[in-house]
Structures are given as C-alpha cells and as structure tokens.
Amino acid sequence: MDNFIAALKDPAEVPEMSSDQPLPAQIAGYIRNLIIHDILKPGESVRERFIADTLKVSRTPMRDALKILSVERLVKLYPNRSAVVVDNSLEDITDMLSVYVELDKMAATTACRMASETDFLRIERHIEEMRKAQVERNRSEYFRANQNFHFAIVSAARNQTLAEMHMTLNLRLYRVRYLAILSQEIWTTREDEHRAMLNALRARDQEELAILQKEHFAVAWRLIDDWCRSAAS
C-alpha cells in the first residue's frame, strides 16, 4: 500500500468534506486539501476512481471538481487520461510570490484607511493563536493562524477583487509555503513582527507598515526559496 492510499485511510491525515457547498465544490475542496498538504504530490496523477470510491460519489461530480481545480491551476487536465497535479517550477513560484506580496502590500495600505476596530481585534486574535501554537510547537496550527492573520488584513481592505485575486494565488502557493514553514525553525521567532504590523495598522501609519512588511516578506521569501532549492536537489 503506497503512501497516498495509506494517508487516505488515516482520518487524522485528511480533512472531511464540507457539506455546505454543491457536491463538485465539496469534492474539489477535498482534493485541494490532498494537494496543499502534500498527500497528492506535484506531477502525480489524481486517482479519480479511488477518490470517487472513497467519497462514494459518481464520475460526473468528480470530473466537475477537477475542472474547478484546473481553473485554480492546481491540476492539469489531459484528454483521455487522469488529471495531474501541477508541478510549478522555481521560476513559477517566484513569479506568483512577487504578485502575492504586492497584493498583500496593497491590501495593507488600503486597510490603513478602511479597517475598523472589529478588524483590529480579529487580527489580534490571530496573533494570539500564533503565539499559542508557538508555545505548543504546533506548526500546522501556527500556519493556519498565520494565514488567517494575513487574510484578515486583506479583508479589512474592503476590496472584493483584491481579496479574490489574493485567495487564488494563496491556493496555488499554499503547499510550498506550508512545507517551507514545516521544515524551518525560524517560524518560532516571528511574533514580534506580526504585533508590530498590527500596531502600525492601528496607527494607520502606511509608511511604517510598508517598512515592516518589506522586512517580513524578505524572511518569508528566503524560507520558501531555501525550501524549494532543497527540495529540488
């Protein structure tokens, strides 16, 4: 039994399908989790029949789910053969990160004008979640809270188009960012950076926030670059 099948048989490894969406979207979410948590790896075929049997769904919603993931550029569809998980090159990842960082910076600049006290409290809650995860040495929870911290800033910008573009790139970069954090120790030392960014946001100090973001993303970029090069060697 290979690692993929073993992972699917371990309920601790794979999240359950959500039940509040149409069936193809539920299946897409399930497969998306397999990809971003590295259970389905880049370059691997999506085992449609096995997954369909596991989820007890038919071929039609399964194929519709793969079309959703194809639009997100998480899988590539080929005529008369299985879908394949996209294997991004280092250049692809660098290009996506460049845009992702700019979207984060644009969101923060706008949030300095638009954010409410409710937004500030939500962002602060995610910082506390990161701190708790650091104490417990729980990298997965830390990453989830870190994601939510940045999503909360994007949400505070009140720009739906920006939020949609940010989410699309986040899905495509999730796996590499997640695995980069899992492989490093520096993730435990960054609470002060997040707190400083929140303080600048509360003060609506765009210049200070831009400086803090530049420093923050420089470290994140190095973590990802180190991991990508290590994985490729």
Side-chain angles (χ1 to χ4, degrees):
M1 184 180 296
D2 64 23
N3 292 336
F4 171 76
I5 296 176
L8 286 191
K9 290 182 176 294
D10 182 356
E13 289 290 330
V14 182
E16 295 182 358
M17 278 203 306
S18 169
S19 60
D20 59 353
Q21 297 177 310
L23 185 56
Q26 293 180 47
I27 300 169
Y30 182 90
I31 299 172
R32 187 185 298 113
N33 274 319
L34 299 180
I35 294 171
I36 64 183
H37 289 98
D38 209 37
I39 296 170
L40 264 174
K41 300 180 183 297
E44 286 188 352
S45 295
V46 178
R47 304 188 191 187
E48 297 177 37
R49 180 173 297 178
F50 185 87
I51 294 175
D53 290 345
T54 299
L55 300 179
K56 297 181 173 57
V57 298
S58 66
R59 181 174 176 81
T60 298
M62 183 73 187
R63 293 301 296 174
D64 289 340
L66 292 174
K67 290 176 183 177
I68 293 172
L69 297 174
S70 175
V71 171
E72 294 175 356
R73 295 193 181 182
L74 291 178
V75 305
K76 187 169 184 178
L77 300 178
Y78 293 93
N80 303 317
R81 58 173 288 195
S82 298
V84 174
V85 178
V86 169
D87 188 3
N88 290 306
S89 67
L90 180 57
E91 183 178 1
D92 293 333
I93 293 169
T94 299
D95 288 345
M96 286 188 286
L97 275 172
S98 297
V99 177
Y100 187 79
V101 167
E102 291 303 316
L103 290 175
D104 249 12
K105 288 157 63 175
M106 184 186 303
T109 297
T110 307
C112 276
R113 293 186 288 103
M114 303 295 295
S116 67
E117 183 60 26
T118 299
D119 294 315
F120 297 145
L121 292 174
R122 184 180 299 115
I123 294 166
E124 186 164 26
R125 184 174 71 248
H126 297 317
I127 293 175
E128 290 303 314
E129 291 170 352
M130 281 188 275
R131 184 195 61 78
K132 183 174 182 289
Q134 288 172 352
V135 171
E136 296 174 352
R137 306 291 296 180
N138 188 329
R139 295 182 189 230
S140 295
E141 280 302 304
Y142 174 85
F143 186 79
R144 182 193 62 78
N146 181 281
Q147 289 274 90
N148 288 336
F149 170 86
H150 289 284
F151 289 160
I153 294 176
V154 172
S155 177
R158 307 286 192 273
N159 184 319
Q160 186 62 33
T161 300
L162 190 157
E164 290 172 358
M165 293 176 66
H166 186 273
M167 179 58 71
T168 297
L169 275 180
N170 179 72
L171 289 172
R172 295 175 63 190
L173 288 167
Y174 189 108
R175 172 186 173 272
V176 67
R177 294 172 62 235
Y178 178 74
L179 294 177
I181 282 183
L182 288 183
S183 68
Q184 301 288 339
E185 287 301 320
I186 197 170
W187 69 282
T188 61
T189 65
R190 311 198 68 194
E191 181 183 356
D192 289 347
E193 295 179 23
H194 296 103
R195 180 69 63 180
M197 283 192 283
L198 174 57
N199 290 341
L201 191 60
R202 279 185 182 274
R204 305 190 187 276
D205 188 338
Q206 294 184 18
E207 292 185 7
E208 176 65 13
L209 185 55
I211 293 171
L212 292 169
Q213 280 190 309
K214 182 177 180 180
E215 295 171 352
H216 182 77
F217 289 130
V219 175
W221 199 299
R222 178 166 58 80
L223 285 177
I224 294 170
D225 186 66
D226 288 348
W227 182 86
C228 288
R229 293 182 189 280
S230 174
S233 62

PDB file of all heavy atoms in Angstrom, residues 195-212:
ATOM      1  N   ARG A 195       2.974  41.553  15.585  1.00  0.00           N
ATOM      2  CA  ARG A 195       2.482  42.545  16.532  1.00  0.00           C
ATOM      3  C   ARG A 195       2.823  43.960  16.061  1.00  0.00           C
ATOM      4  O   ARG A 195       1.997  44.876  16.149  1.00  0.00           O
ATOM      5  CB  ARG A 195       3.094  42.284  17.903  1.00  0.00           C
ATOM      6  CG  ARG A 195       2.665  43.248  19.001  1.00  0.00           C
ATOM      7  CD  ARG A 195       1.219  43.069  19.379  1.00  0.00           C
ATOM      8  NE  ARG A 195       0.946  41.751  19.931  1.00  0.00           N
ATOM      9  CZ  ARG A 195      -0.259  41.361  20.330  1.00  0.00           C
ATOM     10  NH1 ARG A 195      -1.287  42.190  20.221  1.00  0.00           N
ATOM     11  NH2 ARG A 195      -0.440  40.145  20.808  1.00  0.00           N
ATOM     12  N   ALA A 196       4.038  44.147  15.532  1.00  0.00           N
ATOM     13  CA  ALA A 196       4.451  45.465  15.054  1.00  0.00           C
ATOM     14  C   ALA A 196       3.613  45.894  13.856  1.00  0.00           C
ATOM     15  O   ALA A 196       3.235  47.078  13.727  1.00  0.00           O
ATOM     16  CB  ALA A 196       5.932  45.455  14.687  1.00  0.00           C
ATOM     17  N   MET A 197       3.282  44.959  12.985  1.00  0.00           N
ATOM     18  CA  MET A 197       2.431  45.295  11.838  1.00  0.00           C
ATOM     19  C   MET A 197       1.040  45.708  12.291  1.00  0.00           C
ATOM     20  O   MET A 197       0.458  46.661  11.752  1.00  0.00           O
ATOM     21  CB  MET A 197       2.373  44.114  10.864  1.00  0.00           C
ATOM     22  CG  MET A 197       3.625  43.964  10.006  1.00  0.00           C
ATOM     23  SD  MET A 197       3.430  42.796   8.635  1.00  0.00           S
ATOM     24  CE  MET A 197       3.562  41.239   9.511  1.00  0.00           C
ATOM     25  N   LEU A 198       0.499  45.014  13.278  1.00  0.00           N
ATOM     26  CA  LEU A 198      -0.811  45.401  13.796  1.00  0.00           C
ATOM     27  C   LEU A 198      -0.752  46.793  14.418  1.00  0.00           C
ATOM     28  O   LEU A 198      -1.663  47.610  14.216  1.00  0.00           O
ATOM     29  CB  LEU A 198      -1.289  44.381  14.832  1.00  0.00           C
ATOM     30  CG  LEU A 198      -2.581  44.745  15.569  1.00  0.00           C
ATOM     31  CD1 LEU A 198      -3.734  44.985  14.591  1.00  0.00           C
ATOM     32  CD2 LEU A 198      -2.941  43.666  16.577  1.00  0.00           C
ATOM     33  N   ASN A 199       0.313  47.078  15.157  1.00  0.00           N
ATOM     34  CA  ASN A 199       0.435  48.402  15.776  1.00  0.00           C
ATOM     35  C   ASN A 199       0.473  49.510  14.723  1.00  0.00           C
ATOM     36  O   ASN A 199      -0.149  50.568  14.887  1.00  0.00           O
ATOM     37  CB  ASN A 199       1.687  48.465  16.644  1.00  0.00           C
ATOM     38  CG  ASN A 199       1.565  47.608  17.889  1.00  0.00           C
ATOM     39  OD1 ASN A 199       0.468  47.240  18.306  1.00  0.00           O
ATOM     40  ND2 ASN A 199       2.697  47.266  18.498  1.00  0.00           N
ATOM     41  N   ALA A 200       1.199  49.273  13.628  1.00  0.00           N
ATOM     42  CA  ALA A 200       1.266  50.261  12.553  1.00  0.00           C
ATOM     43  C   ALA A 200      -0.095  50.412  11.874  1.00  0.00           C
ATOM     44  O   ALA A 200      -0.506  51.517  11.501  1.00  0.00           O
ATOM     45  CB  ALA A 200       2.322  49.857  11.530  1.00  0.00           C
ATOM     46  N   LEU A 201      -0.802  49.296  11.743  1.00  0.00           N
ATOM     47  CA  LEU A 201      -2.132  49.335  11.136  1.00  0.00           C
ATOM     48  C   LEU A 201      -3.103  50.123  12.018  1.00  0.00           C
ATOM     49  O   LEU A 201      -3.868  50.964  11.526  1.00  0.00           O
ATOM     50  CB  LEU A 201      -2.633  47.903  10.929  1.00  0.00           C
ATOM     51  CG  LEU A 201      -3.890  47.702  10.082  1.00  0.00           C
ATOM     52  CD1 LEU A 201      -3.680  48.236   8.663  1.00  0.00           C
ATOM     53  CD2 LEU A 201      -4.258  46.228  10.035  1.00  0.00           C
ATOM     54  N   ARG A 202      -3.053  49.881  13.323  1.00  0.00           N
ATOM     55  CA  ARG A 202      -3.917  50.621  14.258  1.00  0.00           C
ATOM     56  C   ARG A 202      -3.620  52.129  14.197  1.00  0.00           C
ATOM     57  O   ARG A 202      -4.538  52.950  14.288  1.00  0.00           O
ATOM     58  CB  ARG A 202      -3.686  50.129  15.680  1.00  0.00           C
ATOM     59  CG  ARG A 202      -4.421  48.846  16.059  1.00  0.00           C
ATOM     60  CD  ARG A 202      -4.194  48.554  17.536  1.00  0.00           C
ATOM     61  NE  ARG A 202      -4.820  47.323  17.963  1.00  0.00           N
ATOM     62  CZ  ARG A 202      -6.085  47.206  18.357  1.00  0.00           C
ATOM     63  NH1 ARG A 202      -6.867  48.275  18.346  1.00  0.00           N
ATOM     64  NH2 ARG A 202      -6.577  46.044  18.744  1.00  0.00           N
ATOM     65  N   ALA A 203      -2.340  52.459  14.040  1.00  0.00           N
ATOM     66  CA  ALA A 203      -1.944  53.867  13.969  1.00  0.00           C
ATOM     67  C   ALA A 203      -2.215  54.463  12.587  1.00  0.00           C
ATOM     68  O   ALA A 203      -2.017  55.660  12.373  1.00  0.00           O
ATOM     69  CB  ALA A 203      -0.462  54.011  14.317  1.00  0.00           C
ATOM     70  N   ARG A 204      -2.621  53.598  11.649  1.00  0.00           N
ATOM     71  CA  ARG A 204      -2.882  53.979  10.255  1.00  0.00           C
ATOM     72  C   ARG A 204      -1.645  54.648   9.651  1.00  0.00           C
ATOM     73  O   ARG A 204      -1.737  55.629   8.907  1.00  0.00           O
ATOM     74  CB  ARG A 204      -4.122  54.876  10.156  1.00  0.00           C
ATOM     75  CG  ARG A 204      -5.358  54.223  10.808  1.00  0.00           C
ATOM     76  CD  ARG A 204      -6.636  54.953  10.514  1.00  0.00           C
ATOM     77  NE  ARG A 204      -7.740  54.384  11.306  1.00  0.00           N
ATOM     78  CZ  ARG A 204      -8.471  53.307  10.963  1.00  0.00           C
ATOM     79  NH1 ARG A 204      -8.183  52.674   9.835  1.00  0.00           N
ATOM     80  NH2 ARG A 204      -9.445  52.874  11.743  1.00  0.00           N
ATOM     81  N   ASP A 205      -0.502  54.047   9.986  1.00  0.00           N
ATOM     82  CA  ASP A 205       0.795  54.550   9.533  1.00  0.00           C
ATOM     83  C   ASP A 205       1.251  53.722   8.331  1.00  0.00           C
ATOM     84  O   ASP A 205       1.909  52.690   8.479  1.00  0.00           O
ATOM     85  CB  ASP A 205       1.815  54.457  10.680  1.00  0.00           C
ATOM     86  CG  ASP A 205       3.134  55.137  10.354  1.00  0.00           C
ATOM     87  OD1 ASP A 205       3.443  55.307   9.156  1.00  0.00           O
ATOM     88  OD2 ASP A 205       3.859  55.485  11.305  1.00  0.00           O
ATOM     89  N   GLN A 206       0.902  54.166   7.137  1.00  0.00           N
ATOM     90  CA  GLN A 206       1.198  53.407   5.927  1.00  0.00           C
ATOM     91  C   GLN A 206       2.698  53.250   5.695  1.00  0.00           C
ATOM     92  O   GLN A 206       3.159  52.184   5.275  1.00  0.00           O
ATOM     93  CB  GLN A 206       0.554  54.098   4.718  1.00  0.00           C
ATOM     94  CG  GLN A 206      -0.964  54.102   4.747  1.00  0.00           C
ATOM     95  CD  GLN A 206      -1.561  54.716   3.499  1.00  0.00           C
ATOM     96  OE1 GLN A 206      -0.903  54.845   2.473  1.00  0.00           O
ATOM     97  NE2 GLN A 206      -2.832  55.106   3.577  1.00  0.00           N
ATOM     98  N   GLU A 207       3.471  54.280   5.950  1.00  0.00           N
ATOM     99  CA  GLU A 207       4.914  54.209   5.708  1.00  0.00           C
ATOM    100  C   GLU A 207       5.578  53.188   6.625  1.00  0.00           C
ATOM    101  O   GLU A 207       6.399  52.377   6.173  1.00  0.00           O
ATOM    102  CB  GLU A 207       5.549  55.587   5.900  1.00  0.00           C
ATOM    103  CG  GLU A 207       5.136  56.601   4.835  1.00  0.00           C
ATOM    104  CD  GLU A 207       5.868  57.921   4.989  1.00  0.00           C
ATOM    105  OE1 GLU A 207       6.780  58.002   5.841  1.00  0.00           O
ATOM    106  OE2 GLU A 207       5.526  58.865   4.259  1.00  0.00           O
ATOM    107  N   GLU A 208       5.235  53.216   7.908  1.00  0.00           N
ATOM    108  CA  GLU A 208       5.811  52.260   8.848  1.00  0.00           C
ATOM    109  C   GLU A 208       5.389  50.839   8.515  1.00  0.00           C
ATOM    110  O   GLU A 208       6.203  49.901   8.555  1.00  0.00           O
ATOM    111  CB  GLU A 208       5.388  52.602  10.281  1.00  0.00           C
ATOM    112  CG  GLU A 208       5.849  51.613  11.345  1.00  0.00           C
ATOM    113  CD  GLU A 208       7.355  51.562  11.505  1.00  0.00           C
ATOM    114  OE1 GLU A 208       8.060  52.459  10.980  1.00  0.00           O
ATOM    115  OE2 GLU A 208       7.847  50.620  12.165  1.00  0.00           O
ATOM    116  N   LEU A 209       4.131  50.668   8.153  1.00  0.00           N
ATOM    117  CA  LEU A 209       3.635  49.344   7.800  1.00  0.00           C
ATOM    118  C   LEU A 209       4.344  48.808   6.565  1.00  0.00           C
ATOM    119  O   LEU A 209       4.681  47.617   6.495  1.00  0.00           O
ATOM    120  CB  LEU A 209       2.130  49.387   7.570  1.00  0.00           C
ATOM    121  CG  LEU A 209       1.442  48.042   7.297  1.00  0.00           C
ATOM    122  CD1 LEU A 209       1.737  47.039   8.404  1.00  0.00           C
ATOM    123  CD2 LEU A 209      -0.060  48.250   7.136  1.00  0.00           C
ATOM    124  N   ALA A 210       4.615  49.656   5.588  1.00  0.00           N
ATOM    125  CA  ALA A 210       5.317  49.235   4.375  1.00  0.00           C
ATOM    126  C   ALA A 210       6.724  48.742   4.700  1.00  0.00           C
ATOM    127  O   ALA A 210       7.195  47.739   4.149  1.00  0.00           O
ATOM    128  CB  ALA A 210       5.377  50.380   3.377  1.00  0.00           C
ATOM    129  N   ILE A 211       7.408  49.434   5.610  1.00  0.00           N
ATOM    130  CA  ILE A 211       8.762  49.021   6.024  1.00  0.00           C
ATOM    131  C   ILE A 211       8.716  47.666   6.719  1.00  0.00           C
ATOM    132  O   ILE A 211       9.524  46.767   6.434  1.00  0.00           O
ATOM    133  CB  ILE A 211       9.383  50.081   6.956  1.00  0.00           C
ATOM    134  CG1 ILE A 211       9.640  51.372   6.186  1.00  0.00           C
ATOM    135  CG2 ILE A 211      10.677  49.563   7.590  1.00  0.00           C
ATOM    136  CD1 ILE A 211      10.039  52.544   7.072  1.00  0.00           C
ATOM    137  N   LEU A 212       7.750  47.499   7.620  1.00  0.00           N
ATOM    138  CA  LEU A 212       7.620  46.246   8.363  1.00  0.00           C
ATOM    139  C   LEU A 212       7.277  45.085   7.433  1.00  0.00           C
ATOM    140  O   LEU A 212       7.801  43.982   7.570  1.00  0.00           O
ATOM    141  CB  LEU A 212       6.548  46.395   9.441  1.00  0.00           C
ATOM    142  CG  LEU A 212       6.881  47.352  10.585  1.00  0.00           C
ATOM    143  CD1 LEU A 212       5.638  47.616  11.429  1.00  0.00           C
ATOM    144  CD2 LEU A 212       8.009  46.791  11.446  1.00  0.00           C
TER     145      LEU A 212
END
